[in-house]
Amino acid sequence: MIAAVTTDARRLVVTEVPDPVPGPGEVLLRPLVVGVCGSDLHLFDGDAGALSGAERGLPRIQGHEIAAEVLDDPSGRFAAGTRVAVWPLLTCGTCRLCTAGAVNACPSLRVIGVHLDGGLAGALAVPAANVVPVGDVAPAAAALVEPVSVAVHAVARGRVRPGDRAVVFGGGAVGQGVCLVLADAGVSTLLVDPAPARVRAGALWGAAATTTTTHDGLAAEVDAWSGGQGPDLVVDATGVPSVLDTALHLVRAGGTVVAVGLTSAAGPVHTGLLAAKEVAVLGSSCCTGAEFATAAALVGRWADAVGALPVRRIGLADTVSALSGRDADDVVKTLVDVTG
Ligand SMILES: [Zn+2]
Ligand SMILES: [Zn+2]
């Protein structure tokens, strides 16, 4: 099969490799569309600080945001041609976190496309438990189920109720997904991103308000928007360390801050705000299998909005261009047409 293989830091070749052989309980898939995200860029750069263990895995076929169709399921559970998204987590199943249901935080977590070969290839074998049918959702939308699933978990961490207000930093696919999940939950959201195209997309994805003001003047805007109350929840989907400090300043007393952006950088925080406002600060990583299925249903319900997201579509042969640099500001996601 053809595959895009990351052979070394910042080196990728599109080449023929042996077909995968499905093991017991595995389903053979044909990837159709695969999204590229920030964590893919980190791995490609050789900066795996936020992806422990991944740096030892080269050569690697990357790609964990996978829309695919079933080629063969020996168990007969999935018919050939069934369109699916792939929950990309493999967990140990026996540790304290796994047995408590927090499988996404398993210390032995492995991610398809990060620690194991992923979707940027003509075929992929994954455990049946990781295969989630998406009905007739278009492949480009199905590739967005994974970032939306990260948002589903982040919002679950945020403990919101209908009628709450949330500020979301970062209009990438996860931040957009957070707006979508919050809108679906009846929470009013203000999306903050410096790029006009990204806040326009946020308005489509359910953000009630948007702003491109990220520093001076933001506090006043948030104050006016929340009627002087401050938001109940602030979500950092940027991974920029200074955003955490901004979030602590903005959130209402007794509110919650959820950090979902990946970074290996550090930044100063006014720690006194934690006690003074009794803020809960929670990290959020990936999602559970049930949350992934929730995300697939959400993408189906919001198909028009999902289809309107500004994306860049490239062929497998151009994968290196997607991994070599950040997306332009008018694009929220680069999607690789694996079969194109
Ligand atoms: Zn990702
Ligand atoms: Zn575990």
Side-chain angles (χ1 to χ4, degrees):
M1 66 174 179
I2 193 86
V5 184
T6 302
T7 55
D8 210 336
R10 302 196 67 76
R11 283 191 58 82
L12 180 136
V13 292
V14 177
T15 185
E16 283 290 327
V17 300
D19 285 344
V21 178
E26 289 192 333
V27 178
L28 189 64
L29 303 176
R30 183 167 81 112
L32 300 172
V33 176
V34 171
V36 174
C37 92
S39 64
D40 293 312
L41 272 55
H42 285 299
L43 179 57
F44 185 69
D45 279 343
D47 162 27
L51 305 161
S52 57
E55 69 279 12
R56 294 187 294 275
L58 301 182
R60 170 74 61 237
I61 299 169
Q62 294 187 238
H64 61 272
E65 302 180 358
I66 304 163
E69 65 181 14
V70 173
L71 282 175
D72 183 38
D73 177 10
S75 80
R77 185 167 150 203
F78 300 108
T82 302
R83 194 173 293 164
V84 302
V86 176
W87 178 49
L89 305 191
L90 300 178
T91 64
C92 80
T94 57
C95 73
R96 186 170 172 171
L97 285 150
C98 280
T99 51
V103 295
N104 57 297
C106 172
S108 307
L109 183 74
R110 292 176 304 152
V111 181
I112 294 168
V114 177
H115 306 93
L116 301 88
D117 283 341
L120 291 169
L124 172 69
V126 302
N130 293 74
V131 175
V132 178
V134 296
D136 59 0
V137 166
L144 295 166
V145 170
E146 197 278 338
V148 171
S149 77
V150 174
V152 168
H153 186 67
V155 171
R157 295 284 279 164
R159 310 176 300 181
V160 286
R161 290 180 298 206
D164 279 357
R165 288 178 182 272
V167 171
V168 177
F169 283 88
V174 171
Q176 302 287 348
V178 169
C179 293
L180 193 74
V181 177
L182 287 169
D184 204 66
V187 173
S188 184
T189 302
L190 170 67
L191 173 65
V192 183
D193 192 289
R198 291 183 170 210
V199 296
R200 277 198 300 276
L204 286 173
W205 279 48
T210 63
T211 181
T212 54
T213 303
T214 55
H215 292 94
D216 294 344
L218 177 62
E221 271 192 50
V222 169
D223 199 54
W225 173 73
S226 64
Q229 305 293 303
D232 305 283
L233 169 68
V234 180
V235 178
D236 170 26
T238 69
V240 177
S242 64
V243 170
L244 179 59
D245 192 57
T246 305
L248 292 175
H249 280 94
L250 292 177
V251 72
R252 72 162 167 82
T256 303
V257 174
V258 171
V260 67
L262 290 178
T263 182
S264 52
V269 168
H270 288 85
T271 53
L273 291 168
L274 294 166
K277 295 168 79 170
E278 198 167 70
V279 179
V281 179
L282 299 168
S284 182
S285 176
C286 307
C287 73
T288 66
E291 287 166 337
F292 195 90
T294 297
L298 198 67
V299 165
R301 278 206 301 285
W302 288 71
D304 289 347
V306 172
L309 194 74
V311 296
R312 176 167 71 118
R313 301 191 63 160
I314 61 173
L316 190 67
D318 295 325
T319 304
V320 69
S321 75
L323 289 169
S324 297
R326 272 176 53 93
D327 281 332
D329 278 349
D330 59 350
V331 167
V332 170
K333 174 66 67 181
T334 295
L335 298 176
V336 180
D337 286 293
V338 181
T339 57

